[in-house]
Amino acid sequence: MTQKPIDLKGSSFTLSVIHLHDAPPEEISRAIQEKVKQAPQLLQNAPVIINVASLNRECNWMELSRAVLATGLHVVAISGCNNSTLKNKIICSGLPLLTEGKALKSGESTLSIAKTLLINTPVRSGQQIYARNSDLIITNSVSAGAELIADGHIHIYGMMRGRALAGASGDGECQIFCSNLSPELVSIAGEYWLSDQIPAEFSGKAGRIYLHYGVLSIKSLIP
């Protein structure tokens, strides 16, 4: 019996989403390049989704898309397009359109509650752990080069040397709790700090990282 040439299976991935606003293409390109310089391990040659919800339908889509592609990012799809004129431009450029899930309004909640993902073993370099629609708890150490991603909060009860991205689906109320902070990168809802941006007094200490008016902040876990 010959092996089938392909199998079709469902899977899930975490991708960065770049929200474009009306601005000259060269300005958008410059802003993306600056982000890539700040976090090359996360963004250099990375696959991304482009959200165009803020763009005017009269925008020059071809120029904008060329400006994004010139940065070295790999655009895998476009989201947030509600305008038929812009949709046609995007489809003609050869990029697929995605429909994002409806965002919850304040006060709304989902009926299904995902179980927290609990990891009791060390997280090694090169490993990536994704807690989809849930919190993530690590009771061991996280090596440099490892990556933790959660749509909810992240708790680390050990040495943290890798990357931690909480609120990956855009929830800015999520937080990162860690008993020993020495990470390469921390991020909440797309706002991130590299290691050298974390206040030095928290290095190796217990800390809580959160968003305060859309800006990353940190507090000690031990009063």
Tab-separated table of all heavy atoms in Angstrom, residues 27-40 43 71 192:
chain	number	residue	atom	x	y	z
A	27	GLU	N	6.625	55.806	5.711
A	27	GLU	CA	6.539	55.953	7.174
A	27	GLU	C	6.170	54.627	7.831
A	27	GLU	O	6.703	54.259	8.882
A	27	GLU	CB	5.501	57.024	7.517
A	27	GLU	CG	5.480	57.401	8.989
A	27	GLU	CD	4.511	58.544	9.267
A	27	GLU	OE1	4.329	59.418	8.375
A	27	GLU	OE2	3.932	58.551	10.357
A	28	ILE	N	5.248	53.887	7.210
A	28	ILE	CA	4.883	52.571	7.725
A	28	ILE	C	6.073	51.623	7.668
A	28	ILE	O	6.368	50.893	8.619
A	28	ILE	CB	3.693	52.013	6.924
A	28	ILE	CG1	2.421	52.795	7.291
A	28	ILE	CG2	3.511	50.527	7.158
A	28	ILE	CD1	1.213	52.444	6.459
A	29	SER	N	6.783	51.638	6.552
A	29	SER	CA	7.959	50.776	6.407
A	29	SER	C	9.004	51.100	7.473
A	29	SER	O	9.584	50.200	8.088
A	29	SER	CB	8.561	50.960	5.016
A	29	SER	OG	9.728	50.192	4.872
A	30	ARG	N	9.212	52.385	7.709
A	30	ARG	CA	10.203	52.800	8.708
A	30	ARG	C	9.788	52.343	10.110
A	30	ARG	O	10.623	51.882	10.888
A	30	ARG	CB	10.356	54.324	8.653
A	30	ARG	CG	11.566	54.857	9.368
A	30	ARG	CD	11.920	56.271	8.912
A	30	ARG	NE	10.786	57.165	8.827
A	30	ARG	CZ	10.339	57.712	7.704
A	30	ARG	NH1	10.942	57.446	6.570
A	30	ARG	NH2	9.304	58.532	7.710
A	31	ALA	N	8.512	52.452	10.415
A	31	ALA	CA	8.030	52.046	11.736
A	31	ALA	C	8.192	50.537	11.944
A	31	ALA	O	8.571	50.081	13.027
A	31	ALA	CB	6.561	52.447	11.896
A	32	ILE	N	7.911	49.754	10.902
A	32	ILE	CA	8.071	48.297	11.016
A	32	ILE	C	9.541	47.937	11.193
A	32	ILE	O	9.913	47.107	12.034
A	32	ILE	CB	7.486	47.593	9.772
A	32	ILE	CG1	5.964	47.773	9.735
A	32	ILE	CG2	7.849	46.119	9.764
A	32	ILE	CD1	5.323	47.243	8.463
A	33	GLN	N	10.402	48.578	10.403
A	33	GLN	CA	11.833	48.277	10.516
A	33	GLN	C	12.355	48.593	11.908
A	33	GLN	O	13.213	47.883	12.445
A	33	GLN	CB	12.603	49.062	9.457
A	33	GLN	CG	12.381	48.542	8.044
A	33	GLN	CD	12.984	49.435	6.986
A	33	GLN	OE1	13.211	50.618	7.209
A	33	GLN	NE2	13.246	48.871	5.819
A	34	GLU	N	11.836	49.636	12.507
A	34	GLU	CA	12.251	49.993	13.863
A	34	GLU	C	11.833	48.908	14.854
A	34	GLU	O	12.592	48.538	15.750
A	34	GLU	CB	11.630	51.341	14.252
A	34	GLU	CG	12.105	51.889	15.578
A	34	GLU	CD	13.590	52.158	15.599
A	34	GLU	OE1	14.168	52.484	14.535
A	34	GLU	OE2	14.172	52.021	16.683
A	35	LYS	N	10.599	48.391	14.687
A	35	LYS	CA	10.140	47.300	15.552
A	35	LYS	C	11.015	46.059	15.372
A	35	LYS	O	11.340	45.373	16.337
A	35	LYS	CB	8.687	46.947	15.232
A	35	LYS	CG	7.675	47.991	15.673
A	35	LYS	CD	7.500	47.986	17.170
A	35	LYS	CE	6.398	48.922	17.612
A	35	LYS	NZ	6.295	49.003	19.094
A	36	VAL	N	11.373	45.741	14.140
A	36	VAL	CA	12.209	44.570	13.874
A	36	VAL	C	13.571	44.737	14.530
A	36	VAL	O	14.127	43.794	15.114
A	36	VAL	CB	12.361	44.335	12.358
A	36	VAL	CG1	13.366	43.223	12.086
A	36	VAL	CG2	11.009	43.989	11.732
A	37	LYS	N	14.126	45.945	14.488
A	37	LYS	CA	15.424	46.186	15.130
A	37	LYS	C	15.335	45.984	16.637
A	37	LYS	O	16.259	45.504	17.279
A	37	LYS	CB	15.893	47.620	14.841
A	37	LYS	CG	16.422	47.832	13.451
A	37	LYS	CD	16.870	49.282	13.274
A	37	LYS	CE	17.314	49.551	11.849
A	37	LYS	NZ	17.663	50.988	11.654
A	38	GLN	N	14.198	46.361	17.208
A	38	GLN	CA	14.032	46.248	18.655
A	38	GLN	C	13.894	44.800	19.105
A	38	GLN	O	14.312	44.446	20.207
A	38	GLN	CB	12.795	47.042	19.094
A	38	GLN	CG	12.941	48.549	18.944
A	38	GLN	CD	11.629	49.271	19.195
A	38	GLN	OE1	10.627	48.669	19.576
A	38	GLN	NE2	11.630	50.576	18.992
A	39	ALA	N	13.309	43.965	18.270
A	39	ALA	CA	13.081	42.561	18.648
A	39	ALA	C	13.353	41.648	17.464
A	39	ALA	O	12.442	41.003	16.944
A	39	ALA	CB	11.661	42.376	19.161
A	40	PRO	N	14.615	41.548	17.004
A	40	PRO	CA	14.896	40.738	15.811
A	40	PRO	C	14.581	39.262	15.986
A	40	PRO	O	14.173	38.596	15.044
A	40	PRO	CB	16.401	40.974	15.590
A	40	PRO	CG	16.920	41.445	16.916
A	40	PRO	CD	15.798	42.198	17.559
A	43	LEU	N	10.790	39.148	15.345
A	43	LEU	CA	10.151	39.695	14.147
A	43	LEU	C	10.935	39.535	12.844
A	43	LEU	O	10.344	39.648	11.776
A	43	LEU	CB	9.866	41.187	14.364
A	43	LEU	CG	8.824	41.510	15.439
A	43	LEU	CD1	8.736	43.019	15.654
A	43	LEU	CD2	7.465	40.977	15.030
A	71	THR	N	10.170	45.159	4.121
A	71	THR	CA	10.814	45.067	5.435
A	71	THR	C	11.325	43.663	5.729
A	71	THR	O	12.003	43.451	6.725
A	71	THR	CB	9.827	45.466	6.546
A	71	THR	OG1	8.758	44.514	6.583
A	71	THR	CG2	9.261	46.853	6.310
A	192	TYR	N	5.780	44.931	24.224
A	192	TYR	CA	6.867	44.088	24.724
A	192	TYR	C	8.048	44.896	25.254
A	192	TYR	O	8.263	46.056	24.909
A	192	TYR	CB	7.348	43.131	23.628
A	192	TYR	CG	7.894	43.815	22.412
A	192	TYR	CD1	9.221	44.218	22.339
A	192	TYR	CD2	7.084	44.058	21.323
A	192	TYR	CE1	9.722	44.854	21.221
A	192	TYR	CE2	7.559	44.694	20.202
A	192	TYR	CZ	8.884	45.087	20.154
A	192	TYR	OH	9.370	45.733	19.053
